Amino acid sequence: MNQVIRLMKRIALSPLFWIITICSSIFFLENSDLSNYFLISDFATNFPSLSLSGQYYRLLTSLFLHTGITHLVSNMFLLIILTWVVSPIISKALYLSLLLLSGVLGNLLADVLIVSLVNSDGNYWSFLTTFGYSHGIVGLSTSITGLYIFTLIIFVFKTSKDLPQKKFRLSALIFVSFIGILSLILNFIWGQWFTITAYVHFFGGLVGGMLAFIFLYRQHKKLPQFTIQVQHPDD
């Protein structure tokens, strides 16, 4: 009985559990009624023009919306794998902060870019599109991309000396990397290299990478600076 209680307490204190619960609940609420779908989508989707016009909450709320069951399941699957890989290295508070900062700042930077492109009246590189300005974007993949880049950098720098003991986590990270490369190839085939989807993923990953190097720097500064003096018996 005590083991069950401890397990339930551990689950209740897990940020991963609550993120999956929130995303799944909103998804099923959306699909339970058509009016709910339009209400939630119109209210919470990250439309760059609206988000940068004062409705900044959309940068956060859009992370918990998904366009379909495949979108939801694939995001939650990748989130679970990356969480398992990085959880022994960072705290729950840092984990949650990483997801929120990567998601919100990634969305914000992508919105700034796409609004700037729209306001430039076509005076920009031809391969940069403004697709998504009016359609908006949803999904936790912005945060997940930040988490992936963070995990990749941290895993290389902090566990490189004991990789044999981390082989299962290394295999999981390689698997996620393979999915990411495959996604890039498919986006190229589908012509989605330079749309708002690509922008939010790029900036989410950029934020995650910056946070990784900040984390490594802070860890380095905390290392104890001392020398060990060995005294010989004859001294």
Side-chain angles (χ1 to χ4, degrees):
M1 185 65 181
N2 290 334
Q3 292 180 343
V4 175
I5 294 175
R6 284 197 296 269
L7 177 61
M8 292 178 64
K9 184 180 295 186
R10 184 178 177 183
I11 293 174
L13 294 175
S14 170
L16 175 64
F17 169 76
W18 290 107
I19 291 172
I20 293 176
T21 299
I22 293 172
C23 290
S24 301
S25 299
I26 292 176
F27 175 79
F28 288 111
L29 179 63
E30 274 189 293
N31 289 271
S32 63
D33 187 272
L34 193 60
S35 60
N36 288 342
Y37 175 81
F38 287 110
L39 177 64
I40 295 174
S41 296
D42 290 344
F43 176 78
T45 298
N46 176 24
F47 294 105
S49 56
L50 296 178
S51 297
L52 297 185
S53 297
Q55 299 181 22
Y56 297 108
Y57 65 87
R58 293 176 179 271
L59 302 173
L60 174 64
T61 57
S62 61
L63 298 174
F64 300 98
L65 303 182
H66 293 84
T67 56
I69 189 64
T70 302
H71 189 201
L72 174 66
V73 171
S74 61
N75 272 357
M76 297 303 102
F77 177 66
L78 293 175
L79 180 64
I80 290 171
I81 293 178
L82 290 172
T83 301
W84 176 69
V85 173
V86 80
S87 57
I89 305 174
I90 64 175
S91 66
K92 293 178 181 178
L94 178 56
Y95 167 81
L96 188 58
S97 299
L98 169 63
L99 288 177
L100 291 177
L101 287 174
S102 296
V104 172
L105 293 181
N107 281 343
L108 174 62
L109 292 172
D111 286 359
V112 170
L113 173 63
I114 202 168
V115 169
S116 299
L117 293 176
V118 170
N119 293 336
S120 67
D121 295 325
N123 296 319
Y124 54 85
W125 291 328
S126 59
F127 58 84
L128 293 176
T129 71
T130 58
F131 181 79
Y133 177 79
S134 301
H135 297 80
I137 189 72
V138 297
L140 196 65
S141 55
T142 307
S143 297
I144 293 173
T145 305
L147 177 63
Y148 165 69
I149 298 299
F150 179 94
T151 303
L152 186 63
I153 294 173
I154 297 300
F155 198 83
V156 170
F157 279 90
K158 291 189 68 67
T159 64
S160 57
K161 295 181 180 180
D162 58 343
L163 282 180
Q165 289 75 32
K166 305 288 185 180
K167 57 184 178 181
F168 292 113
R169 285 184 167 83
L170 175 61
S171 299
L173 195 54
I174 292 173
F175 173 71
V176 174
S177 300
F178 171 77
I179 293 178
I181 294 172
L182 180 61
S183 177
L184 287 175
I185 294 173
L186 291 177
N187 286 337
F188 176 76
I189 294 174
W190 296 334
Q192 296 180 355
W193 272 85
F194 297 101
T195 65
I196 192 172
T197 302
Y199 301 153
V200 296
H201 289 167
F202 172 80
F203 285 115
L206 181 64
V207 173
M210 292 175 61
L211 292 175
F213 285 111
I214 292 173
F215 173 79
L216 289 172
Y217 175 76
R218 290 175 62 87
Q219 289 288 305
H220 175 73
K221 296 294 286 186
K222 289 180 181 178
L223 289 177
Q225 302 295 324
F226 62 88
T227 58
I228 300 176
Q229 295 182 347
V230 179
Q231 184 176 8
H232 294 284
D234 296 336
D235 292 345

